[in-house]
Amino acid sequence: MKLWSVSAVVLVGLLGAGCVSTGLGTSRGPGASGAAVAVPSGRVSKIDQFSYITPACREVPGVAARITKQAGYGQVSIRRARDFSPYEAGNSSAACNSRRVPVWQVLYTSAPGYRGPDQFAYRKAFPDGKVLDVVVNVDVQ
């Protein structure tokens, strides 16, 4: 279920998504501001994945995420999962990339058969006080 495709405009408030490192936190989203991401119609697409873990691969409490605007032609959900973290080389938690750790995932699924534009928004907050407001313009194909 790893889908990182290229054709919807993603606008990120405060920071670009991509691989954003905030101390012990990291986020892998669809790309920097202005990047394009396409999603297939009717299928679950992982739009973002982020975590905040220690160098010992333990979760730091206090990460929060919520949908601030639901999609018009699909469904957005945020779930807790265990997956591989996307820390950049040199980050103190990069050694955790080879094992599944607690993460948050933002998922989008269009209405069956729908093709065209859609939009949704969500907010994610990290224990170090960083807050990211993300608006995603989706191109459903």
Side-chain angles (χ1 to χ4, degrees), residues 3-4 8 20 27-28 35-36 41 46-47 56-57 63 65-66 68 70-71 77 92 100 108 121 125 131 141:
L3 174 66
W4 308 102
V20 176
S27 177
R28 174 176 287 155
S41 180
K46 188 187 320 177
I47 300 299
C57 305
V63 174
R66 67 182 175 89
T68 56
Q70 188 56 254
S77 61
S92 61
R100 293 183 188 275
Y108 170 84
V131 175
Q141 300 180 350

Side-chain angles (χ1 to χ4, degrees):
M1 184 166 80
K2 292 207 183 249
L3 174 66
W4 308 102
S5 49
V6 279
S7 177
V9 176
V10 178
L11 301 174
V12 178
L14 303 178
L15 289 173
C19 251
V20 176
S21 181
T22 60
L24 299 175
T26 190
S27 177
R28 174 176 287 155
S33 181
V37 179
V39 300
S41 180
R43 297 182 61 197
V44 177
S45 297
K46 188 187 320 177
I47 300 299
D48 193 3
Q49 176 170 297
F50 49 98
S51 63
Y52 202 97
I53 58 176
T54 68
C57 305
R58 290 196 173 85
E59 182 177 30
V60 176
V63 174
R66 67 182 175 89
I67 299 163
T68 56
K69 178 186 173 204
Q70 188 56 254
Y73 299 97
Q75 184 67 34
V76 179
S77 61
I78 298 175
R79 73 177 182 188
R80 300 285 313 240
R82 293 187 68 80
D83 204 346
F84 298 100
S85 60
Y87 289 92
E88 295 176 8
N91 184 294
S92 61
S93 297
C96 301
N97 291 352
S98 63
R99 65 167 97 167
R100 293 183 188 275
V101 296
V103 298
W104 293 72
Q105 296 176 335
V106 178
L107 307 171
Y108 170 84
T109 308
S110 75
Y114 177 75
R115 289 183 180 9
D118 203 355
Q119 184 180 73
F120 66 92
Y122 62 100
R123 171 176 279 182
K124 53 188 174 181
F126 294 94
D128 63 1
K130 297 228 191 275
V131 175
L132 301 171
D133 287 307
V134 182
V135 175
V136 181
N137 293 307
V138 183
D139 179 14
V140 182
Q141 300 180 350

